[in-house]
Amino acid sequence: MRCVYTRKSMSEYDPRLIAPTCLYLASKAEESTVQARLLVFYIKKLNSDEKYRYEIKEILEMEMKILEALNYYLVVFHPYRTLAQLLQDAGINDMSMTQLSWGLVNDTYKMDLILIHPPYLIALACMYIASVHREKDITTWFEELSVDMNVVKNISMEILDFYENYKISDERINAAFSKLDFKP
């Protein structure tokens, strides 16, 4: 969506139509397709304003306009490839450190970090958190990078804040399990 609006005006393309169309297009690009009819169904279910209820035809037409605006370039960079390269470059062969870093990257998709920061910074922040958590001293490797460590640390703090804010207590887990308890 951000790429579309770097090339087209908001007055030219309605954000209320661009957003679901970008979701539809992204799901196709990532090979986890969401059917257009389901997308339209949920738009109608969530939006009570008749003016912004779109039909499948409008979504599909906008898909073509978005593709043209993006020059059919749908490559999106994710932190995973960068993370693997950085772990290798840092000489980290510890599987637990790799898995923790990878899991942290997975969790960043629950936040808006991927929309704000480049993938390599997210990968570095995840490595930073994992290295502190696993007590691996890779500070000399970080110092050799030409990266502003304040930015990496700020991203790390955002990730840690996410975990702090969305921590699930044992009471909530037990309550959920008790609701699932089926008694014949």
Side-chain angles (χ1 to χ4, degrees), residues 99-118:
Q99 288 177 337
L100 179 58
S101 300
W102 200 270
L104 289 164
V105 168
N106 287 342
D107 290 343
T108 62
Y109 283 93
K110 298 175 186 173
M111 301 173 252
D112 61 355
L113 289 177
I114 198 71
L115 301 172
I116 300 169
H117 301 287

Side-chain angles (χ1 to χ4, degrees), residues 3 29-30 70-78 81:
C3 293
E30 292 294 328
L70 297 175
N71 294 326
Y72 298 90
Y73 186 75
L74 297 178
V75 176
V76 176
F77 295 100
H78 299 281
R81 180 178 296 155

Side-chain angles (χ1 to χ4, degrees), residues 16-28:
R16 291 179 193 96
L17 179 57
I18 290 289
T21 307
C22 284
L23 177 66
Y24 176 65
L25 189 56
S27 74
K28 288 171 72 174

